[in-house]
Amino acid sequence: MARSKKHLGRYVDPRTDFGWKFYFGREDNKILLIEFLNSLFHGEKIISDLRYKPVEHDGDYEEMRRVVFDLHCIGSDGEVFIIEMQQLFQEFFKDRAVYYTSRLINKQLARGKKGSDYYLPEVYFIGILEFDMDRNGSSGISRVTERPYFYDVALCDKLTKEIFYDKLGYKMISLPLFNKQPEELKTVMDQWLYLLKHLSTMDRLPSFLDKRIFGLIFEIGEIGKLTEEELMSYEASLKHKRDAESVFNSAKKSGEALGHAKGLAEGLAEGLAEGKAKGLAEGERKKALETAKAFKEMGLPIADIAKGTGLSVEEVEKL
């Protein structure tokens, strides 16, 4: 174990699948997720408790695709939270976020229920992204804001800007756009985002982070405290993250963009146009399948493999 710890740093990286669920997906540590969500809502609502719910949901019909969330929780007031950590750029990530919330909303009304009672709970999608969601101006809207890294989305009237429906929301964080230095951290959310981005390179709890909130992370996150099984899982998750990033960067450098990642090779117009027109190039698809097969043989979760390679869960299951 000593050999492994040397090249892993001191603390578990929360930007890995293992790390994200290690810190935020366990009942014993749910105070961390509660505090993190409260920092994002910043008084808009106060979350006092959470219950973890199943993350895998089959469709109502055979032809409906199965969905797998990173985390799925119910708040003390019945509100529903889907929390996702997305490592690589995904062209239709916004579509996926809307689809996920729609699937859960659809589950709220019992089949065959009569009458006009369509009362629904609040549903929120929280996305922590390791990419710029609109890096190529895909939204067609110029975001002039002091917090370009933070998307706080709700259904609103386009003319008056007033909230039309306040029980459905999307809060997205684009970590690469968060570049604040310690002296610039003004809010608890600032501190959380700084921690998520830099924890894996820290060797102690810095004085500029609130010890009451973040002390538990530094207490439980020491790699030296992991069991042998946890350490093996973390190393596999870290390798998965690095391998996926390597495939991503290789495609970017060569200009052979993955068809699903619009704008992946910015500046390489010819390769980009071909990627948009033809979708996933056959060569890259073959590489993705080979990578997915290797990940599957390593025993990594199928949902994570699909995320990292851009393939569907069904395609990975068939390998």
Side-chain angles (χ1 to χ4, degrees):
M1 187 178 294
R3 176 199 62 78
S4 298
K5 289 188 292 183
K6 184 176 180 180
H7 70 278
L8 295 178
R10 183 170 181 181
Y11 298 103
V12 172
D13 188 348
R15 296 174 300 160
T16 60
D17 182 68
F18 173 89
W20 184 253
K21 294 169 183 175
F22 178 76
Y23 289 118
F24 299 109
R26 302 194 298 177
E27 184 73 25
D28 291 346
N29 303 332
K30 67 179 177 180
I31 185 60
L32 295 177
L33 184 57
I34 291 172
E35 294 285 357
F36 176 63
L37 292 178
N38 279 329
S39 79
L40 296 186
F41 282 92
H42 195 57
E44 174 187 341
K45 69 185 291 82
I46 304 297
I47 300 153
S48 59
D49 196 13
L50 290 173
R51 289 183 290 114
Y52 290 95
K53 302 291 287 182
V55 297
E56 299 184 9
H57 292 262
D58 292 320
D60 292 332
Y61 308 100
E62 186 176 348
E63 62 270 19
M64 289 183 68
R65 68 184 298 172
R66 183 165 168 259
V67 298
V68 182
F69 310 133
D70 283 346
L71 297 176
H72 173 204
C73 303
I74 305 295
S76 51
D77 294 329
E79 62 271 59
V80 181
F81 299 97
I82 302 169
I83 304 101
E84 289 280 303
M85 162 65 77
Q86 182 69 30
Q87 295 174 350
L88 296 181
F89 178 82
Q90 188 177 82
E91 182 179 4
F92 298 109
F93 184 77
K94 295 176 186 177
D95 300 68
R96 177 178 153 199
V98 172
Y99 180 70
Y100 276 14
T101 54
S102 299
R103 284 288 294 270
L104 286 188
I105 291 172
N106 183 56
K107 296 288 186 181
Q108 302 307 315
L109 295 177
R111 183 178 298 177
K113 187 175 182 179
K114 298 180 180 180
S116 59
D117 182 8
Y118 282 87
Y119 176 82
L120 295 171
E122 300 170 45
V123 177
Y124 298 99
F125 183 98
I126 312 298
I128 311 303
L129 318 178
E130 288 213 78
F131 55 86
D132 179 358
M133 190 159 56
D134 285 318
R135 61 185 168 191
N136 294 310
S138 59
S139 67
I141 300 173
S142 177
R143 299 188 75 242
V144 180
T145 170
E146 293 181 351
R147 298 189 293 177
Y149 50 84
F150 185 41
Y151 293 76
D152 195 2
V153 181
L155 293 178
C156 70
D157 186 313
K158 292 170 69 175
L159 298 179
T160 66
K161 311 302 180 186
E162 294 179 347
I163 301 297
F164 170 74
Y165 184 72
D166 62 357
K167 294 166 67 177
L168 175 64
Y170 301 84
K171 295 182 186 293
M172 314 282 199
I173 298 293
S174 182
L175 284 178
L177 299 183
F178 181 82
N179 296 309
K180 290 188 177 183
Q181 300 303 307
E183 63 274 11
E184 299 175 292
L185 307 180
K186 306 300 182 184
T187 66
V188 176
M189 186 177 87
D190 286 346
Q191 294 185 40
W192 269 110
L193 300 188
Y194 186 92
L195 181 73
L196 291 178
K197 194 167 183 177
H198 298 286
L199 177 59
S200 63
T201 62
M202 293 179 175
D203 59 6
R204 66 176 64 86
L205 172 61
S207 59
F208 55 82
L209 294 182
D210 190 321
K211 185 175 181 180
R212 296 167 299 174
I213 296 176
F214 302 109
L216 179 59
I217 282 189
F218 284 84
E219 178 183 337
I220 67 174
E222 288 191 44
I223 289 175
K225 294 182 179 179
L226 297 180
T227 65
E228 188 69 30
E229 183 178 356
E230 288 173 334
L231 182 59
M232 291 178 63
S233 296
Y234 176 53
E235 287 188 296
S237 183
L238 197 59
K239 185 178 187 304
H240 169 215
K241 174 181 169 67
R242 291 169 177 170
D243 286 348
E245 289 173 345
S246 177
V247 172
F248 176 89
N249 291 330
S250 176
K252 182 177 180 180
K253 290 177 181 178
S254 67
E256 299 172 356
L258 293 175
H260 76 285
K262 183 167 57 177
L264 178 64
E266 184 175 356
L268 299 177
E270 182 177 351
L272 178 60
E274 182 178 353
K276 288 180 179 178
K278 296 182 179 179
L280 188 61
E282 187 60 31
E284 285 302 328
R285 175 173 173 76
K286 182 178 179 181
K287 183 186 294 184
L289 289 169
E290 291 174 350
T291 301
K293 185 176 180 180
F295 286 168
K296 191 174 181 181
E297 290 174 352
M298 290 166 54
L300 298 180
I302 289 178
D304 293 342
I305 297 174
K307 263 189 190 181
T309 61
L311 299 173
S312 69
V313 170
E314 291 78 8
E315 288 175 307
V316 177
E317 288 176 338
K318 291 178 180 179
L319 293 175

